[in-house]
Amino acid sequence: MLDNHNYTVLITGANSEIGVEACHQYIDDGATVIALVHCDYDNLKQFPENSINIIKIDFSDSCNIENFIKNNNDLLNSVDIFISLASVRKPIEYSKINSADLLYHFSINTIPVILLTQFFGRSMSEKSWGRIVIGSSIGVKFGGGFNSYCYSITKYASELIPNVAKKWSKNNVLINILRIGVTSTDKFMEIGDCAVEARKSLIPMNRIANSKEIASSIYWLGSKENTYITGQNIAVSGGE
C-alpha cells in the first residue's frame, strides 16, 4: 500500500503545462517526481531539488527509451505511479503524410508508453500496488482530423494498452486512459481568438479546460484514492 507522504511518481512530458500542474499536485502531497523531458525545462526549476529528478531524454530515437529502461532498473523499480503525458503533434495533411512522419509520431507518442508500462506493470505487480495514467486526446473519440492523423492514430494505439494489462489488476495495479479535452495551453491559444471561440462552441460546457483541471483528474486516478477504477477510457472534455 502507498505510504501517505512517501512515494515516487514518474511523469513523461513533465515540462508541458499540464505536466507542470501534475508535478505541483503530487509534490504538494509529498511525492518525489521523476520528470522525463525532451526539451527546455525551465518551468520545472520552481520545484525544490529534493522533490524532483529531471532527466532529459529524446524519445524520437526509440533506442534512447530502451537504453534508459535497461540502465535504470533500480530507479524505475522505485516508481509507484506512472503518468504518460509526452506527445508531439505536427499538423500534416493526410495526403502529404510519409513514413518518416508516422515513425516520428509513433516514436514519441506510443513506443515510450508501451515500453514503460510493460516495465511498470511487472515491477508494480511485485509490490502489489501501482497506478498508471495514460494521457490521450478527446480527438480520438471523433476519429481525429485531416491535419492530425499522425497524432490521432498514435494516441489511439496507446489506448489499447489497458486491455492487454488486465492481468495486473489482481495485484492492485490500476491503469486508465485519460482523453484530454481542449485545454488553454499557450500552444493552443496561438490559433487565435476567432478559432478559440469556434472550438469552444463545440464544447457543451461552452468553455475550455485549464491545465489545473486536467492535472487534478490525472492526480486522482493516479493516487491511493482511486481504489477500483481500471481499464477505462475517461474523457475530461466538458461533455464533448
Side-chain angles (χ1 to χ4, degrees):
M1 178 64 185
L2 192 70
D3 290 340
N4 285 340
H5 299 288
N6 184 21
Y7 61 98
T8 300
V9 184
L10 186 144
I11 303 177
T12 67
N15 55 335
S16 66
E17 290 173 69
I18 294 172
V20 171
E21 287 294 344
C23 288
H24 263 298
Q25 296 191 28
Y26 282 112
I27 289 172
D28 287 349
D29 191 48
T32 298
V33 169
I34 301 170
L36 299 192
V37 302
H38 75 280
C39 57
D40 178 71
Y41 53 86
D42 284 346
N43 52 4
L44 295 175
K45 293 179 180 178
Q46 62 185 289
F47 300 110
E49 289 186 4
N50 64 349
S51 67
I52 190 166
N53 178 8
I54 303 171
I55 300 172
K56 196 168 183 179
I57 179 170
D58 182 4
F59 284 157
S60 65
D61 183 344
S62 298
C63 291
N64 291 336
I65 185 63
E66 289 181 326
N67 290 332
F68 174 74
I69 293 172
K70 179 180 178 181
N71 297 325
N72 292 275
N73 272 208
D74 289 344
L75 176 68
L76 297 177
N77 277 318
S78 72
V79 171
D80 303 290
I81 298 164
F82 168 44
I83 310 297
S84 174
L85 296 175
S87 68
V88 63
R89 178 178 179 174
K90 285 191 173 184
I92 308 168
E93 292 182 10
Y94 180 80
S95 58
K96 297 179 180 179
I97 291 170
N98 58 38
S99 59
D101 297 324
L102 288 165
L103 290 171
Y104 179 70
H105 282 77
F106 271 107
S107 68
I108 295 174
N109 295 349
T110 314
I111 293 174
V113 64
I114 289 174
L115 296 181
L116 286 167
T117 301
Q118 185 183 70
F119 180 94
F120 289 131
R122 292 193 296 263
S123 67
M124 291 175 179
S125 290
E126 290 176 1
K127 296 185 288 187
S128 297
W129 200 95
R131 299 291 182 268
I132 297 173
V133 183
I134 298 172
S136 183
S137 169
I138 190 61
V140 174
K141 176 180 179 181
F142 304 106
F146 186 72
N147 294 317
S148 60
Y149 179 83
C150 290
Y151 175 77
S152 298
I153 194 171
T154 52
K155 283 298 183 182
Y156 178 69
S158 69
E159 291 193 0
L160 303 180
I161 294 174
N163 192 51
V164 300
K166 287 181 179 178
K167 64 180 181 180
W168 300 329
S169 301
K170 66 179 181 293
N171 297 317
N172 200 18
V173 178
L174 309 185
I175 174 171
N176 291 286
I177 300 294
L178 199 69
R179 284 181 171 174
I180 298 171
V182 182
T183 308
S184 58
T185 60
D186 290 342
K187 188 172 184 179
F188 174 76
M189 300 307 286
E190 288 175 1
I191 67 174
D193 292 344
C194 290
V196 168
E197 287 301 312
R199 188 65 184 83
K200 187 171 68 173
S201 69
L202 301 175
I203 301 170
M205 285 188 69
N206 197 36
R207 70 173 179 85
I208 294 168
N210 61 60
S211 297
K212 186 174 181 179
E213 288 176 303
I214 303 299
S216 294
S217 297
I218 292 168
Y219 169 80
W220 190 88
L221 282 172
S223 76
K224 63 182 183 297
E225 301 303 320
N226 175 21
T227 60
Y228 204 59
I229 298 174
T230 191
Q232 303 303 306
N233 283 359
I234 299 169
V236 182
S237 58
E240 190 174 11

